Amino acid sequence: MKAVAIVVAALAFGLLPYLTSSNYILGVAVSAAIYTVAAAALNLIYGYTGLLSFAQLGFWGIGGYATALTVVTFGGTFWLGLLWAGLLNAALALIVGYPTLRVGRHAFVIVTLTFALLVTLVARDWVDLTRGPLGIPGLPAPSLFGFEFKTTSHFYWIAWIYALLALGFLYALGTSRIGRTLVAIKQNEPLVRAQGIAPMPYKLAAFAISAAITGIAGGIFAFHLKVIDPLFLDFYYMQTFLIMVIIGGAGSFWGVVIAGIALSALPEVLRFSSDFRMIIYGVVLLVIMLVMPGGFAGWIRQRRLARMRAALR
Amino acid sequence: MAVDPVYLVQLTLNGITLGLLYALIAVGLALIFGVMQIINFAHGELLMVGAFAMSFALPAMGSLYWPAMAAAVVATMICGLVIYETLLVRLRPDEFERSILITLGLSIIVLHVVQYLFTANPRMVDTQYGFDGVLIGSIRITWTRIIGAVVAIGAFALLFVLLKHTQFGRAMRAIAQNREAALMVGIRPRVVARNAVVLATGLCGLAGAALAPIQLVTPGMGQFLIFKAFALVIIGGLGNIPGAIVSAIGLGLIESWIGGFFEIVWQEAAVFILMVVVMFLKPDGLFTRGGMRVG
Amino acid sequence: MTALLEIRDLRKSFAGVHAVDGVSFTVEQGSITGLIGPNGSGKSTTIDCIAGFQKADGGRVVLAGTDIAGRSAHQIARAGLMRTFQTVRVYENLPLRDNLAIAAQQFDDATWSDELFRTRRYRRAAAAAETRARELIELVGLARYYDADAGILSYGQKKLLALAAALMPRPRIVVLDEPVAGVNPTRIRDVEDVLRKLNAGGETFLIVEHNVEFITNLCHHVIVLDQGRKLAEGTAAAIHTDPRVLEAYLGMTPEMAEAEMRGAA
């Protein structure tokens, strides 16, 4: 019953271009789909595995640049670009993740942060490759078998199908034994080791999958914006993904998906100056982490646990 | 390749000054991590607050360098105290990720509030020393740079004495080395943590105040510095104060030399490459011998 | 009886202090063997070294004919040695069902692709684990909490859950690190009964414990450590009257012990 409802809801999102012809609404919908996927990918590494990765911003940017450069500089297709975005990011995640995770989860946070910063600097300063601060404007519309995804409603199909695939995959992963093992690693790593499970491959896999999914999302988003420049690596994106995960509830698949969709629409409804919006984001982050560190899903869970305790005593 | 020795000396001196300022920030982070096992993401914004305080205090005090610097340091220390008492006091030592996210929220708020109030335009800061300098041979260094370096060295000397020879410093080291044992002998972690945070923010404000006359003051000035300071904390070994100082000066030199001869992208990438190499070769940092060490 | 686990000349030192200084003993197949000793005698370090949580400086650890010394913790677990922890470790935010299932998952033939695509092999493995989990949870008396999160259990109940989890993959030997420390005294008898029942079913246990009464009631064979060395070894009864043990462990001479016993009687 629940499964049917979810499938119906997921397909209903696909009907959006028939309900509205407003490019503005469809544009917000593209952002919602892509941001939600990126937040769900962050949820895999942070929410499930307990490793706070700021590298997501770097993966997002590398994905955008890899896809754009594949098309513009190397003459490949958009789809080939997305493939590169995924593969390159997965490989980078392994290279950065292995030495870092050996050191520990504190180092992981700091190294991923520095990685994100490095990507920003490379985007700005490696002018020969990235064209520097000017970026690459006029990214062409993707095409498939002669069909060009020119309008926003066409582009929405790409974002929607990718969101379905990526979220479906993350859901399957999260509810499998692999997902359960990631949660176990987060909760009690020594116990995991005592039960014959080596944590490192799981952590690396979660990081690489999360990187690849974020990279492809970045690639699609760059072509939605039709331009890529160092602003694509603005810390704003990282904060957006983080806030979605934290409000939804780290470790809760549905919490993060719902928060992702809701919060993508919200800044559009509340049209503030960018400084003011960032201040609100900061306040939300701070307050949620202070009073409700588990997010909404965590809060619901606490209440359920309290009931369970009361029933058993 | 012929290298002009004067140019090299100039680069080296710039590198040392830069490294000393990095060190002021990194030491604060190492101190807080040592005592509380958390990372203060808003450290860069505290530096910016120090620089802004300097830029406001100078005109008010007739461009006098030292009183303005003292005012800036006190202002950031008060900020540190407020941050500790309202936010950090709620964190337990195992809540590393939570500490990052809370202080990240704080950092976003401070950065954008300052940007909103004072705009993102860079400000010039003028002191009694103006842009005068000394000429050694054909090398020119401004007074503000020399004073900045001397202030940093003085601060480290003071910190060393404080940690080594005062009750309060000993308590801090005890907590960093063995939390349970320190609690058993009656050291109050809350007081020690508060002192560590105030001390660390004071160092950070000092760095901001010293930096203000050297470079332009902008709301975003702390951000780039803080990322480097994070990396330095890893390179030197988490919570290791001398490690952080040595790595910071090393990084300042390396960046300055690279910047003198190669493209700027390599200068910026140096810290990251250095960090990854160190983690491969010495996962616990270059100088770790366990716990927070002094000397 | 044959030796299932054989420790030969195990050594481990920290900064020049010999925490474990050449300890040797064997655990017979099907036995309950106790490892006791005063605080700081090296018990915990010994089993951490055996289970791969600390790297021994030297010595051999032979499990069923294979030297496992120097292997990492997860490899040793896969070789058939499961351990529990002194400060109880369970997955607080996962239901008991999952706590038990995770403990067994490394030991079946389902690969990651089986897991992702829910193949028949995956479902068969999961069903087998489920059967085993129900059986063990019944045995330790926590059946009514099967679907509840482990976090709601009491400390003693968590220790029982940890015991059940350690038994999930049918290991060759279970090493229990202080199974009744911090457990309500009225519950200790329950733990004894469970362990005796399991032992009757053929399980082998190595138990590190402070509670001498618990060890005396349960163990066939007891090893006493003091200052990183083996002080004595024998049946529980023999250990109880060994003057060296009394002095090291209780800090009293045999005469004092006798006087105390008379006093108690």
Side-chain angles (χ1 to χ4, degrees), chain B residues 170-227:
Chain B
R170 275 193 289 269
M172 238 186 271
R173 289 194 297 148
I175 286 230
Q177 268 156 22
N178 188 337
R179 205 177 171 81
E180 278 81 46
L183 299 188
M184 267 192 269
V185 297
I187 290 172
R188 282 177 302 166
R190 203 181 144 157
V191 175
V192 175
R194 188 185 65 208
N195 291 342
V197 169
V198 171
L199 187 61
T201 50
L203 290 174
C204 200
L206 193 68
L211 212 51
I214 298 176
Q215 65 168 59
L216 295 171
V217 176
T218 66
M221 68 187 287
Q223 282 205 312
F224 275 82
L225 288 168
I226 194 67
F227 286 113

Side-chain angles (χ1 to χ4, degrees), chain A residues 11-312:
Chain A
L11 293 177
F13 274 108
L15 296 176
L16 197 66
Y18 295 109
L19 302 177
T20 173
S21 56
S22 154
N23 279 339
Y24 172 70
I25 292 178
L26 287 169
V28 173
V30 171
S31 308
I34 295 298
Y35 289 174
T36 305
V37 169
L42 173 63
N43 192 31
L44 178 69
I45 186 73
Y46 174 53
Y48 282 81
T49 322
L51 297 167
L52 180 52
S53 162
F54 285 97
Q56 308 307 108
L57 179 65
F59 297 139
W60 166 262
I62 290 171
Y65 270 102
T67 313
L69 292 174
T70 303
V71 173
V72 176
T73 307
F74 301 107
T77 64
F78 171 71
W79 316 104
L80 182 67
L82 292 184
L83 183 67
W84 275 120
L87 291 178
L88 186 63
N89 273 324
L92 279 170
L94 296 180
I95 293 168
V96 173
Y98 179 71
T100 313
L101 289 169
R102 253 182 357 154
V103 180
R105 60 184 237 272
H106 297 159
F108 183 81
V109 179
I110 296 173
V111 173
T112 54
L113 193 60
T114 321
F115 174 79
L117 178 80
L118 180 77
V119 176
T120 313
L121 294 172
V122 168
R124 200 189 62 198
D125 295 336
W126 193 354
V127 179
D128 294 343
L129 181 72
T130 65
R131 307 194 192 173
L134 297 177
I136 308 168
L139 296 177
S143 65
L144 189 65
F145 304 124
F147 179 81
E148 275 199 67
F149 294 85
K150 258 190 296 210
T151 65
T152 310
S153 62
H154 290 155
F155 203 86
Y156 175 76
W157 298 112
I158 298 179
W160 175 64
I161 287 174
Y162 178 61
L164 286 191
L165 291 176
L167 293 175
F169 175 77
L170 286 171
Y171 180 77
L173 189 71
T175 50
S176 75
R177 297 210 297 206
I178 300 174
R180 195 176 62 193
T181 310
L182 296 177
V183 175
I185 290 171
K186 171 184 173 181
Q187 285 187 27
N188 208 324
E189 191 168 330
L191 183 57
V192 168
R193 288 165 58 215
Q195 294 177 339
I197 301 165
M200 184 59 108
Y202 282 92
K203 291 181 190 170
L204 281 178
F207 192 38
I209 291 169
S210 159
I213 289 177
T214 309
I216 295 171
I220 295 174
F221 199 70
F223 276 74
H224 168 60
L225 297 178
K226 297 192 173 60
V227 55
I228 187 153
D229 57 31
L231 280 181
F232 197 75
L233 281 142
D234 196 307
F235 208 69
Y236 160 76
Y237 289 110
M238 185 70 222
Q239 279 156 11
T240 306
F241 307 152
L242 254 182
I243 288 206
M244 288 170 177
V245 170
I246 284 161
I247 291 189
S252 156
F253 179 84
W254 292 114
V256 171
V257 168
I258 291 166
I261 295 169
L263 292 177
S264 300
L266 202 63
E268 304 295 333
V269 179
L270 314 165
R271 310 207 109 235
F272 297 122
S273 77
S274 77
D275 273 334
F276 204 65
R277 187 171 64 193
M278 292 307 280
I279 293 171
I280 290 180
Y281 269 32
V283 171
V284 168
L285 187 60
L286 197 144
V287 170
I288 292 264
M289 285 317 287
L290 274 183
V291 303
M292 208 165 71
F296 276 106
W299 179 71
I300 290 168
R301 184 190 169 75
Q302 288 299 329
R303 288 188 18 157
R304 209 195 61 203
L305 271 183
R307 273 205 307 276
M308 217 185 256
R309 277 204 184 90
L312 283 169

Side-chain angles (χ1 to χ4, degrees), chain C residues 26-253:
Chain C
T26 56
V27 178
E28 303 290 333
Q29 172 82 51
S31 73
I32 304 182
T33 303
L35 188 61
I36 62 172
N39 273 328
S41 60
K43 308 182 299 276
S44 294
T45 312
T46 302
I47 65 163
D48 271 359
C49 288
I50 293 173
F53 277 78
Q54 290 182 31
K55 215 170 167 60
D57 299 335
R60 302 202 315 145
V61 179
V62 182
L63 178 65
T66 319
D67 190 352
I68 55 169
R71 293 195 193 174
S72 55
H74 66 269
Q75 290 169 325
I76 289 173
R78 286 181 205 172
L81 185 148
M82 296 294 265
R83 71 165 297 181
T84 65
F85 294 85
Q86 185 176 350
T87 322
V88 69
R89 288 183 183 275
V90 296
Y91 305 118
E92 304 268 337
N93 290 339
L94 289 176
L96 269 59
R97 171 169 30 90
D98 286 352
N99 265 276
L100 294 172
I102 291 169
Q105 73 179 30
Q106 196 59 50
F107 297 83
D108 59 41
D109 57 354
T111 62
W112 64 269
S113 57
D114 291 324
E115 296 176 23
L116 204 54
F117 299 109
R118 318 283 152 99
T119 60
R120 185 129 50 101
R121 190 153 41 177
Y122 171 82
R123 279 175 278 140
R124 203 178 49 214
E130 168 91 22
T131 313
R132 174 84 174 150
R134 293 248 181 221
E135 188 185 302
L136 285 170
I137 210 72
E138 197 71 48
L139 186 76
V140 298
L142 296 175
R144 60 192 287 243
Y145 303 101
Y146 190 62
D147 290 313
D149 283 12
I152 69 164
L153 298 181
S154 73
Y155 192 80
Q157 287 171 326
K158 283 180 191 166
K159 289 231 159 179
L160 287 171
L161 173 62
L163 171 65
L167 289 161
M168 270 300 284
R170 302 178 194 277
R172 294 172 191 276
I173 179 168
V174 179
V175 179
L176 301 173
D177 193 353
E178 309 223 348
V180 292
V183 175
N184 187 335
T186 58
R187 286 290 193 139
I188 293 181
R189 199 49 62 83
D190 298 347
V191 180
E192 270 180 44
D193 290 342
V194 168
L195 289 177
R196 213 172 268 128
K197 219 182 287 174
L198 286 163
N199 180 246
E203 301 286 352
T204 309
F205 291 99
L206 172 62
I207 304 178
V208 171
E209 190 40 76
H210 249 101
N211 186 327
V212 182
E213 194 196 339
F214 179 77
I215 289 283
T216 316
N217 285 346
L218 209 55
C219 293
H220 307 119
H221 191 78
V222 179
I223 295 123
V224 186
L225 293 186
D226 185 37
Q227 296 177 13
R229 292 212 175 84
K230 185 167 75 180
L231 187 68
E233 174 169 25
T235 61
I239 290 300
H240 226 59
T241 52
D242 189 316
R244 288 170 305 172
V245 177
L246 288 174
E247 186 174 353
Y249 201 74
L250 304 166
M252 47 187 167
T253 60

Side-chain angles (χ1 to χ4, degrees), chain B:
Chain B
M1 187 171 73
V3 176
D4 179 6
V6 173
Y7 183 49
L8 200 62
V9 172
Q10 180 93 53
L11 287 178
T12 304
L13 289 176
N14 283 349
I16 290 174
T17 317
L18 189 66
L20 283 167
L21 291 172
Y22 285 166
L24 279 177
I25 313 165
V27 161
L29 284 177
L31 198 62
I32 296 179
F33 185 86
V35 173
M36 297 179 75
Q37 261 109 66
I38 63 166
I39 286 276
N40 177 20
F41 211 105
H43 219 65
E45 273 58 49
L46 285 165
L47 175 126
M48 180 265 287
V49 167
F52 264 82
M54 184 79 171
S55 80
F56 290 125
L58 274 167
M61 296 181 175
S63 289
L64 291 175
Y65 188 95
W66 298 103
M69 179 176 261
V73 171
V74 170
T76 40
M77 284 172 110
I78 292 170
C79 290
L81 183 65
V82 171
I83 290 169
Y84 179 79
E85 290 295 343
T86 53
L87 303 176
L88 302 184
V89 74
R90 297 157 197 261
L91 292 166
R92 290 191 310 271
D94 59 337
E95 293 184 307
F96 182 75
E97 280 79 9
R98 192 167 167 228
S99 79
I100 291 226
L101 293 170
I102 286 179
T103 50
L104 170 66
L106 179 70
S107 136
I108 297 169
I109 297 169
V110 173
L111 172 65
H112 289 275
V113 165
V114 170
Q115 202 156 291
Y116 188 71
L117 294 177
F118 306 112
T119 75
N121 297 334
R123 313 165 147 251
M124 293 271 274
V125 173
D126 197 14
T127 69
Q128 74 204 86
Y129 302 109
F131 296 94
D132 299 342
V134 281
L135 216 60
I136 310 166
S138 49
I139 302 163
R140 209 187 90 89
I141 312 173
T142 57
W143 278 117
T144 47
R145 268 183 191 270
I146 294 172
I147 293 172
V150 170
V151 161
I153 293 169
F156 295 135
L158 202 68
L159 181 70
F160 181 83
V161 171
L162 209 63
L163 287 177
K164 200 95 189 178
H165 298 291
T166 65
Q167 190 64 39
F168 136 79
R170 275 193 289 269
M172 238 186 271
R173 289 194 297 148
I175 286 230
Q177 268 156 22
N178 188 337
R179 205 177 171 81
E180 278 81 46
L183 299 188
M184 267 192 269
V185 297
I187 290 172
R188 282 177 302 166
R190 203 181 144 157
V191 175
V192 175
R194 188 185 65 208
N195 291 342
V197 169
V198 171
L199 187 61
T201 50
L203 290 174
C204 200
L206 193 68
L211 212 51
I214 298 176
Q215 65 168 59
L216 295 171
V217 176
T218 66
M221 68 187 287
Q223 282 205 312
F224 275 82
L225 288 168
I226 194 67
F227 286 113
K228 286 182 183 163
F230 284 152
L232 286 170
V233 168
I234 291 272
I235 294 171
L238 274 166
N240 183 328
I241 288 176
I245 296 178
V246 175
S247 327
I249 295 172
L251 179 70
L253 284 171
I254 289 172
E255 280 192 357
S256 185
W257 288 331
I258 291 178
F261 298 106
F262 299 96
E263 283 199 50
I264 186 167
V265 61
W266 290 110
Q267 183 185 357
E268 305 287 12
V271 64
F272 186 77
I273 295 166
L274 214 63
M275 178 172 68
V276 171
V277 169
V278 166
M279 276 195 310
F280 256 114
L281 301 179
K282 294 201 71 179
D284 294 326
L286 282 182
F287 306 97
T288 290
R289 227 187 274 161
M292 180 170 75
R293 293 192 312 119
V294 173

